[in-house]
Amino acid sequence: VKPTFEFWADAWTIGVAYNWSGTILTKADCASVNPGKEVYTPWASGNDGYDYRRCKACGELFVRATAAVYEASTTLADSMALNFILVSDFEKYYKDISVECSDGEAVYDSAKHRASVQNIGPQDIGKNYTVTFTVTDKADNSVKTFAATNSIKNYAVTAWNLTSNANLKTALIDMINYGATAEVYKGATDESKLVNADLTDEMKATQSTMLTAEDAAAYAGAEYKNVGDQTDKAIKWTQVSLVLGDSVSIKYYITAAELAEDDALVIELGGNSTEVAVSELTKVGEGQYTYVFDKLNPSNMRSAVTASFKSGNSAELTYSVAGYVAAKSTSKNEELKNMTLAMLTFGIACEKL
């Protein structure tokens, strides 16, 4: 008697289908077991960034990356960025990846498999950004679109709830408080709508004590706007200032009748040196140049930043964010004073990470 072997179910089952050919038993083509019926179970999310399904006939497992953002992160470097991250092998399954942002620009980095909304200012820590991905499925060339919405504040609160690192908890809440003072500096007047308005008492218990004008005064001195003797120097520093925008930057103002093409501006911070070619300086007038140094991390706010020209034709200029804050701590502009004190408080918290 010719036996019949048939394994079929709507659930995930491991079975094997066979065909008889005379006295030889061979494995059947899965699609021919029950012609006209769906061979595979529906795709199901594994909640790990991947979808799974099985062949109903033989039980073979198939995997693909879920067309969705897997996780989020925040970059706190020379500026703030909000990252929307895909699983690490996403491009094994999808191609032609493009991104759009609801406010500003999102940049996709295939090496890090993430889209980043960059240059977010402290006043926008609470703003929601929606990033939309459009991708093509390599399996069938179908186009898929998916989106995710997040804010730096939402990420910070989530991270605060998940971490047991006390220093990280402090830095996250200090960052949100810094954002609130930046909102006020930019004109916000309703305290109930500030980004830190809904912080819980438990969260507030982990924040730093906000620096006062007296505290900041301890950071004033030689590291703030100290310029060597420029009397006989062909290249002179005419001004240096802090730029408080989407990031914290130092702007240098330079006067020189002539700059040699092979000369360079050398900026040193925390043991690292950045060499800026003369061609990268911005000419703003006859013999007048500027340069914005935007490589300051939050943890660098108490660090001395020195600048000089490689040729030796300039004096050495030393500057620090902390010195700037100390100078502004007695300002009559309360909004500016409070923001810079909160900024330095956040920076000191970041030093401990």
Side-chain angles (χ1 to χ4, degrees), residues 92-113:
K92 175 182 177 181
Y93 306 95
Y94 301 96
K95 62 182 180 179
D96 302 331
I97 301 170
S98 63
V99 294
E100 292 183 356
C101 182
S102 60
D103 190 341
E105 180 183 5
V107 178
Y108 181 69
D109 184 338
S110 60
K112 296 181 178 179
H113 45 273

Side-chain angles (χ1 to χ4, degrees), residues 165-297:
N165 184 318
N167 289 334
L168 179 56
K169 283 181 178 288
T170 296
L172 290 169
I173 301 305
D174 287 355
M175 177 182 68
I176 293 174
N177 287 332
Y178 170 36
T181 61
E183 287 177 318
V184 173
Y185 177 68
K186 291 291 185 178
T189 57
D190 188 344
E191 292 186 2
S192 67
K193 294 182 179 179
L194 295 180
V195 70
N196 65 348
D198 59 352
L199 293 180
T200 66
D201 290 340
E202 186 180 5
M203 290 175 176
K204 292 176 183 178
T206 64
Q207 68 191 11
S208 300
T209 300
M210 191 69 71
L211 293 177
T212 64
E214 291 72 23
D215 296 326
Y219 301 122
E223 290 187 351
Y224 174 64
K225 205 174 181 178
N226 182 44
V227 187
D229 186 4
Q230 300 194 91
T231 305
D232 299 320
K233 299 297 184 180
I235 304 173
K236 290 182 168 57
W237 306 105
T238 53
Q239 187 180 347
V240 60
S241 63
L242 207 66
V243 180
L244 301 175
D246 294 339
S247 61
V248 177
S249 308
I250 298 175
K251 187 170 186 178
Y252 297 97
Y253 296 80
I254 304 154
T255 297
E258 185 177 356
L259 289 174
E261 290 184 3
D262 60 350
D263 204 353
L265 171 62
V266 180
I267 300 174
E268 296 184 1
L269 169 64
N272 297 315
S273 180
T274 300
E275 192 167 302
V276 183
V278 167
S279 59
E280 296 179 55
L281 304 180
T282 300
K283 189 171 184 178
V284 294
E286 190 61 36
Q288 305 292 320
Y289 304 86
T290 62
Y291 181 74
V292 176
F293 179 67
D294 58 2
K295 304 300 182 184
L296 290 169
N297 292 336

